[in-house]
Every structure is written in structure tokens, then in C-alpha cells.
Amino acid sequence: MTIEQLQYFYAVSVHKTFSLAALEMNITQSALSKQIAKLEQELGIFLFDRSHRQITLTHDGQQLLKDAKLILKDYEKMLDHLQTIKEENHNTIKIAMLPIFSHYDLAHKLNDFSKNHPHIHLIIDEVEERDLHHKLDYHDYDIYILRGDYEELHAFQQILLYEDSLVAAISKQHPFSHLQQLSINQLKDEKLLLPPQYTTICNLAIKACQQAGFNPIIHRHGRI
């Protein structure tokens, strides 16, 4: 039994003729008749008395009509609900970003966007870099705000928002603190605190040291 068959059955019960029901359902009369016959065969009952010029419901047909009305009404409700969800999704932008919300004043910028476009609902999730590959593979979001280059990003349009520089943060008590500039080579024998291993910044720092001809002495990883 299908929804279409119940719709055909209901149309015939309303119009009392297969021809008018077929016209309403936009199918041929023979196709509609075949669907009603298949429904009767599946249920093992006759739904219509065809012995008169104007067909009428049998007793079994009348019982089915009561249930069919409820089913078709719920089906219409479901379609309306799905349409509402589609419209809401159409006006929703899902954004995934690294935990850099405060670094680039993004909170104020996104808040201004919401004020200027109140009909658009923003969903913002902070995602750690270690979880990004899964998110990118499945395209869970409309916009990703990231740092670094990812192979999965090649399927996306990319827009540069900011450019950063690697810097060394040094204690005022450190011998290097009086220097106006510091070269990466001078960090060769220093114990370094680097961001978490899975982050792009950590990889960039290690790569910069290796390009300078040494492997950094990593004391530990962690967030500053």
C-alpha cells in the first residue's frame, strides 16, 4: 500500500467516478483503475461497488476511507512540516571556526552581520583542528573559518581574511628580551613552548625551524 494508492482511493470516493478522479490526480483512467485494483488485491477486499453507473463504496471501503482520511491528513501535516524545515534551513548559515573567536574580533563582526540581516540565523560551532578533517570531508557547514592549508579545502572557494606573522614571546628576564629583532637561528638551543601538536601554528613553527637548519627543542605543547 502506498500513499499514492490511498490518494487515488480517496479521489474516487469523492468523485464517484474513475474518470473525474483520474483527471484530478493527473493520471490516465486506466492507470488509476490498475492502482485501485492492486490496492484491493493487496488488502483482499473490494473497495467499490461497480455494478451501478455511479460507483459507491462497499462496507469495507467505508471503513478504509475513515483510516485513509486520517493517514492523508497526517501526510499533509508532515509535508508542511518538512517545508517549514526547508525554509528555515534556507535561511540558516552554519559556520565552523577554530577557537579564534576573540583573536580577530569575530564576535563583533558576526554580531553586526546578524543585526544587518535579522532574517538569517547563524549557527556557530568552535571546532578543534584535530576534528576538522572529518568536518571538511562531510561538508557539515556552509562556511569554515580556519588557519592554514588543508587538502580538503581545495573543493571550497577560499577567501583570505587575515595574514598573521609567527612571533616569539619571551620573558622580560630572558637574555634575548633586550633585542629589537630575533632570528629563528637564535632559537636553536632554546626550550620552546609550542601550541598543541595538531595545530597549524605548531606545524608552521617547526617547519620554520627546520628550514633554518635545526629541529626545535620542544619543552612542551599547550595553549597560551
Side-chain angles (χ1 to χ4, degrees), residues 156-170:
F156 294 80
Q157 178 185 1
Q158 299 180 51
I159 300 173
L160 180 64
L161 297 179
Y162 302 95
E163 285 188 298
D164 289 329
S165 298
L166 286 175
V167 299
I170 298 172

Side-chain angles (χ1 to χ4, degrees), residues 11 39 43 47 62 68 87 89-90 97 111 115 119 132 138 166 179 186 195 198 214:
L39 180 60
L43 298 176
L47 298 173
Q62 291 174 356
E87 291 174 358
N89 288 339
H90 184 69
M97 68 169 65
N111 186 53
K115 287 180 179 178
H119 61 290
L132 269 180
Y138 289 92
L166 286 175
L179 299 177
Q186 289 173 282
Y198 56 81
F214 68 95

Side-chain angles (χ1 to χ4, degrees), residues 142-191:
D142 302 302
I143 296 173
Y144 296 84
I145 300 178
L146 312 173
R147 282 190 295 216
D149 187 28
Y150 301 85
E151 185 178 344
E152 298 91 340
L153 278 178
H154 298 162
F156 294 80
Q157 178 185 1
Q158 299 180 51
I159 300 173
L160 180 64
L161 297 179
Y162 302 95
E163 285 188 298
D164 289 329
S165 298
L166 286 175
V167 299
I170 298 172
S171 166
K172 289 183 179 180
Q173 285 75 44
H174 194 282
F176 289 159
S177 63
H178 69 283
L179 299 177
Q180 295 298 315
Q181 289 185 328
L182 187 67
S183 71
I184 291 181
N185 286 320
Q186 289 173 282
L187 299 177
K188 182 177 180 180
D189 299 318
E190 299 295 323
K191 294 180 180 180

